[in-house]
Amino acid sequence: MLGEKCGLFGARCFNDKCVFDLLYWGLIAQNHRGHESYGFLTYAKSFRRHVNVGLVPQISGRRYSRWRNFLQGDVGIAHVRYGTSGERGFSKLDYAQPLIASQDDEKIGFAFNGNIVNAYELRNRLIGKLEKNKSFCDSLIFSKYLVNNISSNGLMDAIEDCMKNIEGAFSVLGLRNNGDLFAFRDPLGIRPLSMGESKDGMIKALSSETVGLNINGLEFTGDVKPGEAVVITKDDVKRERLVKSERTAFCAFEYAYFARPDSFLNGKYVYSVREEFGRNLGKRFKDIVEKADVILSMPETAEDAAYGLHEETGLKWERILRRHRYVTRRAFILEPDERVSTVDRKINIMDGNLNGKRVIIVDDSIVRGDTTRTVVSKIRKAGAEKIYVFVTFPRITHPCFYGIDMATFDELIGFRFNEEEIAKQIGADGVFYQPLEDYIRATGMSANELCTACITGEYPTETAQKMAEAARISAKKDQRRIYERPEFFDG
Ligand code: SF4
């Protein structure tokens, strides 16, 4: 189970309505994108900010009214976070977003989803301008870089500078101290960012996933384009494509795991893409399907793919594995021992009759292997004779430097072992990955529009490519995230 940073929601009400209601529900709908911390920032003559650690709480009645009264204003931004940058000893609250950064008279609220590859280099440029006791964290560096630039060059030029000089994945929401809301996306469009509005056009909103719009009764009007900036003032909306790149690189992994199945990504609902993944697996591995008695699925991200596999093959699909809904700790962010016990608590297996059965278990991805291993062992204990693992996301052999927390080679089971060895490692009788070409076709995108670097080792940005080569050489002896190693940038 993986962690990703992060989820965003921002809105402006042109009818003087309180923006907090929209922000709150926009975050609730996207809490799957970050469990570490959450935060709100609104503007009503001055900034009002509330951040805390953990999930966005379910609040109602007087508590909700208190929050609403404090977070006044008709414009605001909100964020849920799962960190892939920042020293682990620091409090999660130190990194909670939206952050506030200032330079001279300029002050901005800042929230972003993604990861900066050259954050160390930017930090070196900013040394002296950063607060001394602040640790290394790409969002602190990014916000400072941006606000300095806005202060000297104005908003649009500052955003363009970020797009040209910051390498990595970034979908950004910002709020200025004059109440202007702004948003932009890196030129490759690695992380999602959607726009929407109310039927009467009096509310304009931005959300990482369309589910944040749906929950607020807003209509999806399109995506912020890669390299595009959007500014929503109290008078109008301005959109400008500042940097146009020859290719795009939307994260392929969003389809398999991160995005909610009811989100609409690049023209398709995620659940329909996942069903197609299942159908593809059924066509590719007919011989294995013929040997099996039943399909099981990893709850809940592999369920749509399992349905597709069932539909394609006619093989019975039993939903024997279920999630304990309120066990919310994400296994991926924990220490290895803790991770296994969390998965153990999270997934329940019902006493379906698996005695002597040959089962196919559909999983969305295998990163470190702990989750799959734990589930395979539960199925084996329940009496299964053969266990074949069908995986929708192709084998992950390379780290991600764009905001998914798998930033070293050595942690990846797919880097250390081939398919047969992986099967042994996780206690299965076979592991079968969906081929990359099938995966890409199912998304409706082309290879030139997707990032698939963790599968192919071909990174869409230059520093990341160099980092991957350097990290591979030092894989065994250095477990730090390479984009946080000063020596990489200092030579
Ligand atoms: S390397 Fe993999 S996880 Fe990271 S952005 Fe690219 S496709 Fe997504």
Side-chain angles (χ1 to χ4, degrees):
M1 293 183 186
L2 284 167
E4 184 205 11
K5 62 189 298 188
C6 302
L8 304 169
F9 192 87
R12 174 179 282 284
C13 308
F14 290 90
N15 49 10
D16 288 334
K17 280 208 170 134
C18 174
V19 76
F20 173 70
D21 300 331
L22 299 164
L23 300 182
Y24 178 75
W25 289 107
L27 276 201
I28 290 275
Q30 299 186 91
N31 225 166
H32 60 289
R33 295 186 76 88
H35 291 184
E36 266 187 23
S37 65
Y38 63 89
F40 301 93
L41 182 79
T42 60
Y43 177 82
K45 294 193 181 133
S46 62
F47 285 142
R48 287 155 185 255
R49 179 175 183 258
H50 173 69
V51 296
N52 210 342
V53 293
L55 294 165
V56 184
Q58 299 276 352
I59 54 169
S60 56
R62 281 161 63 182
R63 193 168 171 216
Y64 187 88
S65 303
R66 270 205 311 278
W67 284 38
R68 198 174 188 272
N69 286 340
F70 173 66
L71 291 158
Q72 284 175 25
D74 53 15
V75 61
I77 57 175
H79 184 265
V80 285
R81 178 175 197 267
Y82 172 77
T84 52
S85 175
E87 289 140 39
R88 289 194 161 111
F90 262 66
S91 156
K92 292 179 173 63
L93 203 54
D94 291 330
Y95 297 127
Q97 298 179 41
L99 301 164
I100 294 183
S102 53
Q103 177 70 33
D104 303 325
D105 293 336
E106 187 68 43
K107 201 174 190 188
I108 57 164
F110 175 90
F112 101 113
N113 173 208
N115 199 62
I116 302 307
V117 174
N118 62 338
Y120 236 107
E121 193 181 87
L122 290 181
R123 186 174 89 152
N124 290 347
R125 282 201 228 167
L126 289 169
I127 291 279
K129 289 180 179 150
L130 288 168
E131 287 172 51
K132 279 206 181 74
N133 59 353
K134 288 283 182 196
S135 80
F136 179 94
C137 179
D138 61 352
S139 45
L140 297 173
I141 296 164
F142 194 169
S143 57
K144 188 65 188 158
Y145 185 85
L146 178 63
V147 77
N148 281 1
N149 237 313
I150 297 175
S151 168
S152 323
N153 305 316
L155 182 63
M156 283 309 203
D157 281 356
I159 294 176
E160 191 173 337
D161 181 283
C162 289
M163 288 180 183
K164 288 181 174 160
N165 289 303
I166 296 183
E167 180 178 327
F170 47 91
S171 285
V172 174
L173 289 187
L175 193 56
R176 296 179 81 183
N177 56 346
N178 60 1
D180 288 356
L181 171 66
F182 63 90
F184 57 96
R185 230 172 138 199
D186 66 77
L188 294 171
I190 298 176
R191 298 279 151 231
L193 190 59
S194 306
M195 292 181 70
E197 61 182 41
S198 56
K199 272 205 171 67
D200 62 4
M202 297 305 274
I203 297 169
K204 309 273 185 208
L206 296 133
S207 182
S208 289
E209 290 185 37
T210 53
V211 288
L213 304 171
N214 303 148
I215 200 170
N216 281 307
L218 303 174
E219 287 173 1
F220 169 66
T221 53
D223 292 321
V224 176
K225 296 195 169 61
E228 185 183 34
V230 179
V231 183
I232 309 178
T233 68
K234 46 184 188 340
D235 305 311
D236 64 0
V237 179
K238 185 177 167 197
R239 298 181 66 168
E240 198 175 335
R241 195 95 185 253
L242 298 171
V243 176
K244 218 168 176 181
S245 142
E246 274 174 21
R247 60 160 300 172
T248 55
F250 185 78
C251 170
F253 213 4
E254 291 274 353
Y255 289 102
Y257 179 74
F258 294 116
R260 263 178 54 168
D262 45 341
S263 278
F264 193 71
L265 289 183
N266 303 305
K268 284 197 175 192
Y269 277 109
V270 172
Y271 86 89
S272 68
V273 174
R274 290 182 185 164
E275 284 183 2
E276 186 65 12
F277 290 162
R279 286 191 281 272
N280 287 344
L281 286 164
K283 285 177 199 145
R284 282 279 171 181
F285 302 112
K286 267 194 187 137
D287 50 333
I288 304 297
V289 172
E290 276 161 18
K291 290 196 263 182
D293 302 307
V294 65
I295 299 167
L296 308 182
S297 48
M298 196 70 98
E300 293 159 349
T301 39
E303 284 171 356
D304 294 311
Y307 175 73
L309 177 63
H310 156 73
E311 207 186 38
E312 172 68 29
T313 61
L315 192 61
K316 191 174 175 195
W317 171 34
E318 286 244 39
R319 298 178 68 205
I320 287 172
L321 296 166
R322 299 286 173 147
R323 265 189 67 182
H324 291 290
R325 185 164 291 178
Y326 299 102
V327 180
T328 53
R329 298 181 80 198
R330 304 195 78 179
F332 194 74
I333 62 175
L334 304 168
E335 295 304 317
D337 287 353
E338 226 187 336
R339 196 180 298 140
V340 171
S341 68
T342 296
V343 173
D344 209 26
R345 289 201 184 95
K346 207 170 192 173
I347 295 177
N348 198 18
I349 179 159
M350 284 178 270
D351 255 345
N353 180 14
L354 289 183
N355 260 340
K357 294 259 168 75
R358 295 158 302 177
V359 309
I360 290 172
I361 165 128
V362 183
D363 201 350
D364 50 78
S365 56
I366 303 180
V367 179
R368 292 164 178 149
D370 303 320
T371 309
T372 322
R373 186 183 300 115
T374 308
V375 172
V376 166
S377 135
K378 279 180 182 241
I379 296 170
R380 191 76 78 188
K381 273 190 206 138
E385 185 200 313
K386 294 274 180 200
I387 303 173
Y388 307 108
V389 182
F390 279 20
V391 193
T392 63
F393 198 70
R395 188 171 132 212
I396 297 171
T397 54
H398 287 69
C400 174
F401 307 128
Y402 304 119
I404 308 301
D405 201 9
M406 45 182 200
T408 64
F409 276 97
D410 215 38
E411 69 193 280
L412 304 173
I413 196 168
F415 165 68
R416 291 183 288 131
F417 303 109
N418 64 28
E419 274 87 339
E420 263 173 45
E421 292 165 334
I422 293 170
K424 264 196 201 134
Q425 290 287 324
I426 62 173
D429 297 286
V431 171
F432 304 90
Y433 289 96
Q434 183 178 195
L436 181 59
E437 65 266 30
D438 290 4
Y439 188 94
I440 292 175
R441 201 176 48 247
T443 66
M445 308 273 279
S446 71
N448 213 28
E449 294 172 311
L450 286 170
C451 173
T452 53
C454 51
I455 307 162
T456 60
E458 287 162 26
Y459 292 80
T461 65
E462 210 183 311
T463 312
Q465 191 69 50
K466 286 186 193 150
M467 275 181 178
E469 276 144 35
R472 183 197 273 276
I473 293 165
S474 62
K476 288 260 180 280
K477 52 185 194 304
D478 198 338
Q479 307 286 308
R480 291 172 299 159
R481 297 163 178 150
I482 190 161
Y483 50 78
E484 292 185 353
R485 295 184 209 163
E487 65 274 16
F488 180 80
F489 293 97
D490 296 341

